[in-house]
Amino acid sequence: MGEKWKKYSMGSSVSRKVLFGQNGSLSTTKSKWRLYVALCLWVFGFLLIQYRSVYQTGLTYAENHLDLLYAYKNLDVYPYGAEPVTANDVECAFWNSVQHGYQPCSYVVPNDDIGYCLVRRTKDNRIFKVMGTSPGTFYQRKEFACGDVYLDFMNFRIGANRVVLESRNGLVLQQASTKKRRPTRGIVMAAYTRILPSTAAAVMQLRYTGCQLPVEVWSMKGEIDQSSKLVAELESKYNVTFRVLDDPSVAGFMVKIYAVANSGFDQLLFLDSDNFAVQDPAYLFDTEEFETSGALFWPDHWHPAHSIFDTGAGGLAWELFGIDYNYEMEQESGQLLLDRRIGSNALTLMKYYAQSFQIVEKLKAVWGDKDLFRFAYRRTGTPFGVIPTLPALVGRYVAINQTSLSSRDFCGQTMLQHGPNGEALFLHRNTLKLSQERGRRMVWEKVQRFRGTDSHDYRVMIGPERQEDTCWYIADWGSKAGENAPIQSASVEDSELAHVQIERKLIENVRRAEKLLVSEVSETMKASSDATNSSV
């Protein structure tokens, strides 16, 4: 072998040093063989990738790398039915991203990514899209990996479909059986010990307005001492009934949902414990808006075009809850007016939402119960009305230089919600709460109102924090790209004297209610101490 290569070398221009190593090995030949083997492995790998691409996605290698918009038009969203699915029924294939292309199911999707999960239905190998996101607002959306959440996402939607189908016939029967009698009416609230003084102040304020409707206060078992002096006073003097939920699976805002769904009233007005009536709200039950639809909801500060929540057109909530995107103001659920008989189907779905909320919370698809009522009503086709007047802000100016004030200098810490005709109706103190000592300051000095005609222009922004307070203000509007429209600002006017008087009375009543709770605890501790001393 060596002689053969020596003859070849001598008869050619190839240097012996190049062809042979110092030990006589054929180093150059080995390099050529290595290159050949590497090329074969590369070709094999390419074919393997193509095979796996076709097998896992049903698309060819080239089709898998088409522009996302083309693929988006040629793939259907998964046909959500009413039967739950498992990993054996539907497999995760890829995350398809505009920015990053095809990624494995373990890829952590950033909260500003645009794309969708690709899943394969095993019975027919068809590929579908789920969890599609597109340009929108991404402030609250959590990062996720398709492989971790796609089954929970799909089964939440599927479970809601099943609830809607099962409850539809029951709704017709219930409406027929209750339509003949006069509906019962009342106020419903939810509370626990720490916010009970604020709840008491809200009830007292209702009575000051002349409202005589009975009140239900719901709480979880063990959260409120039913034998306390404050509870006794509310029951005896203010026509309040305390009702208890004995269900360990219910917690937090879910109490509101169960309180509304299980109330003893046919028609009810739900109020948060930090929401205070400006006038007697009983007239709402007889308004044309309520009688026509059977439910009346109130708008929040946020428009989907510039919300701080993930409710834009690209939000996950629309597919998750199975409803079409709506270009409308978000809902503020500090007050709800509804007929439980007409809304029975929607309330049944609401309870399902509460029981299965883990995936919603994990993705931050919505914020608590804020939009759940309008979602449930839309999903079940149940009618509802919306108050047309956008909320105003009640607060004060916080600028050091009071001679040159702008919208940003306003510190709004209370929402002013209105009635059907634009009349002031509820003061929702949802930022500076009376349940906190630092929240018991007189701040209802001014009212800032949006005077525009297009809700798209209504933007509430967070302002500079003063005295450790969170401040909100209504931003200026009117100057749009390509237009010479003048900049407009929200109007600011002095609060009505009635608002100032209400605030002062609320603070007094909260402090008094707290003393009743504290004295109750003190007496219990004193009795316990006396019993211990006597035994000694």
Side-chain angles (χ1 to χ4, degrees):
M1 181 67 177
E3 290 297 322
K4 179 180 178 181
W5 280 103
K6 286 179 184 178
K7 291 179 181 179
Y8 175 81
S9 176
M10 291 172 63
S12 69
S13 62
V14 179
S15 170
R16 181 180 177 88
K17 292 182 180 179
V18 174
L19 188 60
F20 289 87
Q22 291 182 354
N23 59 358
S25 62
L26 305 179
S27 59
T28 304
T29 302
K30 289 184 178 180
S31 297
K32 291 180 179 179
W33 276 102
R34 289 192 188 102
L35 180 61
Y36 177 76
V37 171
L39 179 63
C40 291
L41 290 174
W42 185 87
V43 172
F44 176 79
F46 174 84
L47 294 175
L48 179 62
I49 291 173
Q50 185 178 20
Y51 169 78
R52 287 175 60 84
S53 175
V54 173
Y55 177 76
Q56 291 189 7
T57 68
L59 304 173
T60 67
Y61 182 81
E63 288 172 333
N64 259 322
H65 291 74
L66 285 174
D67 181 77
L68 177 66
L69 295 178
Y70 176 82
Y72 197 96
K73 294 177 182 178
N74 287 273
L75 286 175
D76 295 327
V77 175
Y78 186 86
Y80 296 97
E83 295 297 324
V85 295
T86 68
N88 292 327
D89 304 314
V90 180
E91 295 178 350
C92 184
F94 293 107
W95 165 255
N96 194 358
S97 167
V98 168
Q99 295 98 319
H100 310 291
Y102 284 84
Q103 300 293 332
C105 288
S106 58
Y107 172 74
V108 177
V109 179
N111 63 5
D112 61 347
D113 206 350
I114 301 170
Y116 49 83
C117 298
L118 285 171
V119 298
R120 183 175 69 89
R121 191 167 60 187
T122 56
K123 69 177 183 180
D124 56 8
N125 281 336
R126 284 196 61 187
I127 301 299
F128 296 98
K129 298 179 297 186
V130 299
M131 301 185 66
T133 67
S134 59
T137 53
F138 307 98
Y139 294 96
Q140 294 293 335
R141 183 187 304 164
K142 293 293 185 181
E143 295 179 342
F144 65 90
C146 291
D148 294 337
V149 298
Y150 82 100
L151 284 175
D152 291 336
F153 185 97
M154 296 175 69
N155 281 318
F156 179 90
R157 167 82 174 266
I158 290 169
N161 291 349
R162 186 167 58 253
V163 170
V164 172
L165 290 173
E166 292 174 351
S167 60
R168 196 164 286 165
N169 292 333
L171 170 64
V172 175
L173 295 174
Q174 184 182 13
Q175 285 183 328
S177 64
T178 58
K179 193 173 182 179
K180 297 179 181 179
R181 62 176 174 80
R182 183 179 177 83
T184 57
R185 293 173 173 175
I187 310 289
V188 176
M189 306 180 77
Y192 49 91
T193 298
R194 186 169 65 84
I195 66 171
L196 187 57
S198 181
T199 308
V203 171
M204 294 174 189
Q205 176 58 27
L206 281 168
R207 298 303 181 231
Y208 295 152
T209 66
C211 180
Q212 298 301 315
L213 292 171
V215 177
E216 290 179 347
V217 175
W218 288 75
S219 64
M220 292 301 302
K221 184 178 180 180
E223 284 190 339
I224 293 179
D225 182 3
Q226 302 293 319
S227 63
S228 72
K229 288 183 178 181
L230 181 56
V231 169
E233 179 174 300
L234 290 172
E235 289 178 331
S236 61
K237 293 184 179 181
Y238 296 96
N239 192 16
V240 175
T241 300
F242 283 83
R243 302 194 61 181
V244 177
L245 274 171
D246 188 7
D247 186 345
S249 67
V250 178
F253 69 83
M254 298 180 189
V255 177
K256 175 192 292 191
I257 296 173
Y258 277 79
V260 170
N262 297 313
S263 171
F265 305 126
D266 297 322
Q267 297 178 341
L268 62 89
L269 170 65
F270 181 89
L271 291 176
D272 277 353
S273 289
D274 53 5
N275 202 355
F276 310 104
V278 175
Q279 58 178 297
D280 183 357
Y283 76 96
L284 291 172
F285 291 103
D286 298 315
T287 58
E288 180 182 356
E289 291 81 359
F290 179 68
E291 291 180 343
T292 301
S293 63
L296 197 55
F297 299 151
W298 276 259
D300 203 345
H301 286 316
W302 318 114
H303 189 283
H306 36 67
S307 173
I308 64 172
F309 307 106
D310 192 24
T311 57
L316 290 170
W318 308 106
E319 182 182 349
L320 180 61
F321 287 92
I323 54 179
D324 294 331
Y325 167 68
N326 284 280
Y327 193 71
E328 63 186 9
M329 297 298 292
E330 295 175 18
Q331 180 187 0
E332 197 266 305
S333 60
Q335 56 284 306
L336 304 158
L337 186 74
L338 53 89
D339 189 319
R340 293 176 56 254
R341 303 165 304 168
I342 297 175
S344 175
N345 200 359
L347 295 178
T348 300
L349 184 58
M350 282 290 296
K351 289 196 288 187
Y352 168 79
Y353 288 164
Q355 294 164 356
S356 311
F357 200 72
Q358 294 86 349
I359 183 61
V360 182
E361 177 66 22
K362 187 172 185 177
L363 296 171
K364 289 294 183 195
V366 297
W367 185 262
D369 65 280
K370 196 178 76 67
D371 287 287
L372 290 185
F373 283 90
R374 69 170 175 133
F375 282 1
Y377 271 69
R378 286 204 181 280
R379 178 65 187 82
T380 57
T382 308
F384 64 90
V386 178
I387 293 295
T389 306
L390 297 174
L393 285 170
V394 182
R396 66 204 190 284
Y397 277 118
V398 293
I400 297 175
N401 181 7
Q402 295 286 320
T403 60
S404 179
L405 297 171
S406 68
S407 297
R408 282 179 56 86
D409 295 318
F410 188 80
C411 181
Q413 297 173 313
T414 296
M415 296 180 74
L416 176 58
Q417 293 284 15
H418 304 80
N421 297 315
E423 65 278 18
L425 190 51
F426 299 112
L427 287 160
H428 191 182
R429 198 179 178 105
N430 54 359
T431 299
L432 198 64
K433 294 179 179 290
L434 292 177
S435 57
Q436 304 167 347
E437 181 61 35
R438 55 183 289 271
R440 296 167 196 173
R441 288 179 281 124
M442 298 287 291
V443 296
W444 290 351
E445 300 174 4
K446 305 282 185 180
V447 178
Q448 189 182 44
R449 299 180 186 276
F450 176 73
R451 296 300 188 184
T453 57
D454 186 350
S455 61
H456 183 275
D457 293 327
Y458 178 85
R459 299 186 67 174
V460 172
M461 310 290 287
I462 190 166
E465 295 188 6
R466 305 295 172 87
Q467 300 178 6
E468 299 181 352
D469 292 340
T470 299
C471 298
W472 301 93
Y473 68 94
I474 300 175
D476 298 339
W477 72 94
S479 180
K480 299 179 180 178
E483 298 183 5
N484 294 318
I487 295 177
Q488 302 181 58
S489 299
S491 66
V492 178
E493 58 203 41
D494 291 338
S495 287
E496 297 180 20
L497 179 61
H499 296 176
V500 178
Q501 293 172 339
I502 289 171
E503 185 177 32
R504 182 177 293 109
K505 196 67 177 178
L506 288 172
I507 294 173
E508 291 175 1
N509 287 333
V510 166
R511 293 191 187 281
R512 179 178 173 276
E514 256 191 358
K515 288 180 180 179
L516 287 177
L517 283 179
V518 172
S519 64
E520 185 72 23
V521 173
S522 299
E523 289 180 10
T524 302
M525 293 176 64
K526 183 177 183 299
S528 176
S529 177
D530 291 344
T532 302
N533 292 335
S534 62
S535 64
V536 175

